[in-house]
Amino acid sequence: AGDTRHAVISLGEHAASVDSRFVVLRWKFDSSPPDLTIDFNIMKGKCETSSEQNRADYLIKDRVITGGAGGETEGAFNIDSACTMLWSNAKSWIRPRTVKYTVEVVSLK
């Protein structure tokens, strides 16, 4: 409980062959227990430390989610050909959360 976890999604070896302006991040996640909230964020670039996360360019910031969510985000890979997804349970010190997620990276050009 009270945890913050992140996942860095990178274009990796494909970064040189695609224009990151035309890459879409499709994401979906479920959290459990499904009746409790969790904060969700997406940041441009690799933001692995709390210092980097504090300075980050956020595409989604502190969206409060109950049970799960999904969507598409453009411009996620404009910095470092990577983005960071962050889930925070910092506001709840009593009950832990479990997050299961999937991502799909789609080049539109």
Side-chain angles (χ1 to χ4, degrees), residues 1-3 31-33 36-38 89 92-99:
D3 282 342
S31 65
S32 61
L36 300 178
T37 62
I38 193 163
N89 189 31
S92 174
W93 288 88
I94 299 171
R95 296 187 63 191
R97 311 289 190 276
T98 299
V99 175

Side-chain angles (χ1 to χ4, degrees), residues 35-54:
D35 59 330
L36 300 178
T37 62
I38 193 163
D39 292 348
F40 175 65
N41 304 269
I42 297 179
M43 299 161 273
K44 293 181 182 179
K46 294 178 184 176
C47 303
E48 298 180 284
T49 67
S50 59
S51 175
E52 292 170 333
Q53 293 163 3
N54 289 335

Side-chain angles (χ1 to χ4, degrees), residues 4-107:
T4 300
R5 300 285 185 217
H6 69 274
V8 174
I9 314 300
S10 175
L11 295 180
E13 64 188 47
H14 303 289
S17 62
V18 298
D19 186 339
S20 63
R21 296 173 301 162
F22 301 105
V23 175
V24 173
L25 173 69
R26 291 185 182 147
W27 50 271
K28 182 179 186 316
F29 71 91
D30 294 306
S31 65
S32 61
D35 59 330
L36 300 178
T37 62
I38 193 163
D39 292 348
F40 175 65
N41 304 269
I42 297 179
M43 299 161 273
K44 293 181 182 179
K46 294 178 184 176
C47 303
E48 298 180 284
T49 67
S50 59
S51 175
E52 292 170 333
Q53 293 163 3
N54 289 335
R55 294 189 316 265
D57 184 0
Y58 281 80
L59 295 165
I60 296 174
K61 184 167 176 67
D62 294 332
R63 185 177 296 171
V64 178
I65 306 293
T66 302
E72 287 187 355
T73 304
E74 295 179 5
F77 297 96
N78 291 353
I79 299 174
D80 300 329
S81 297
C83 67
T84 304
M85 299 172 68
L86 175 81
W87 294 271
S88 174
N89 189 31
K91 296 176 185 172
S92 174
W93 288 88
I94 299 171
R95 296 187 63 191
R97 311 289 190 276
T98 299
V99 175
K100 296 180 182 176
Y101 67 93
T102 59
V103 295
E104 182 180 12
V105 179
V106 179
S107 176

